[in-house]
Amino acid sequence: MTQWPVTVCVMTSLLAIISPSVRAQDPDGLKGMNAVYVTVENIPEGGKVLGITAETIQTYVELILLQAGMTVTTLADGHKLPGRPHVYVRVNLMKGAEAASIQVELKQDAVLDRNAEHAPSVVTWDIGYLHINPTARSIRDDVKESIDAFLNAWLSVNTKK
């Protein structure tokens, strides 16, 4: 028996349970944040089937953020920002692009209440989607919807200048 039918069945089950899902979306963690940098995880081989790359997703995300009034920095400049906030995008695809998962997270440094320990790169906001038989367009649409949800949370606690 081949692995891919089992994987598709598992992903289909997960699709019914968690797509779309939003967790850890307390907008108070976005208060006072006015700049981020963006990182996009390398897209697996299935991206070639659909014609999507990490670079095109990164450019797309940065453009959406800039159009909404968010300052987007380079990685080097982002590491100088208080809390080092960054939008992290992960697009996972099966080898033949039969299924995909899209995850968008805001990661930033935090301090633990219980012991004042520094916690680097904590996920403070995230959203995810799963797709069976995705297209490049459906992946871009989910990335846009994810970034729009993030921006709505950000704008709810920050006034636009």
Side-chain angles (χ1 to χ4, degrees):
M1 185 166 123
T2 61
Q3 273 304 94
W4 81 266
V6 173
T7 304
V8 169
C9 289
V10 169
M11 289 188 81
T12 303
S13 298
L14 288 173
L15 180 64
I17 297 169
I18 64 169
S19 182
S21 71
V22 179
R23 301 178 305 272
Q25 64 169 343
D26 180 6
D28 286 341
L30 308 176
K31 197 176 288 182
M33 183 181 66
N34 60 8
V36 296
Y37 64 96
V38 176
T39 55
V40 178
E41 190 173 288
N42 286 335
I43 295 179
E45 194 175 313
K48 292 178 187 173
V49 173
L50 298 177
I52 60 171
T53 66
E55 293 79 16
T56 58
I57 297 292
Q58 174 133 2
T59 300
Y60 186 59
V61 168
E62 289 175 351
L63 181 62
I64 296 167
L65 292 169
L66 287 167
Q67 287 175 334
M70 173 73 73
T71 300
V72 177
T73 70
T74 64
L75 174 67
D77 288 342
H79 278 246
K80 298 173 191 171
L81 294 171
R84 298 181 312 153
H86 59 284
V87 173
Y88 182 81
V89 180
R90 180 183 316 108
V91 176
N92 258 329
L93 289 153
M94 292 180 64
K95 189 174 183 177
E98 301 91 354
S101 67
I102 296 97
Q103 189 75 27
V104 174
E105 303 171 338
L106 176 75
K107 294 183 176 188
Q108 55 187 325
D109 296 348
V111 177
L112 301 177
D113 273 347
R114 74 176 172 277
N115 59 10
E117 287 286 323
H118 179 258
S121 201
V122 174
V123 175
T124 58
W125 188 94
D126 75 332
I127 188 169
Y129 293 88
L130 291 174
H131 274 290
I132 303 301
N133 298 318
T135 63
R137 182 179 182 97
S138 69
I139 289 172
R140 277 192 312 273
D141 288 349
D142 284 347
V143 168
K144 181 177 183 337
E145 191 171 318
S146 299
I147 297 301
D148 286 347
F150 164 70
L151 287 166
N152 285 336
W154 173 68
L155 287 169
S156 76
V157 294
N158 294 287
T159 55
K160 203 170 175 183
K161 294 179 182 179

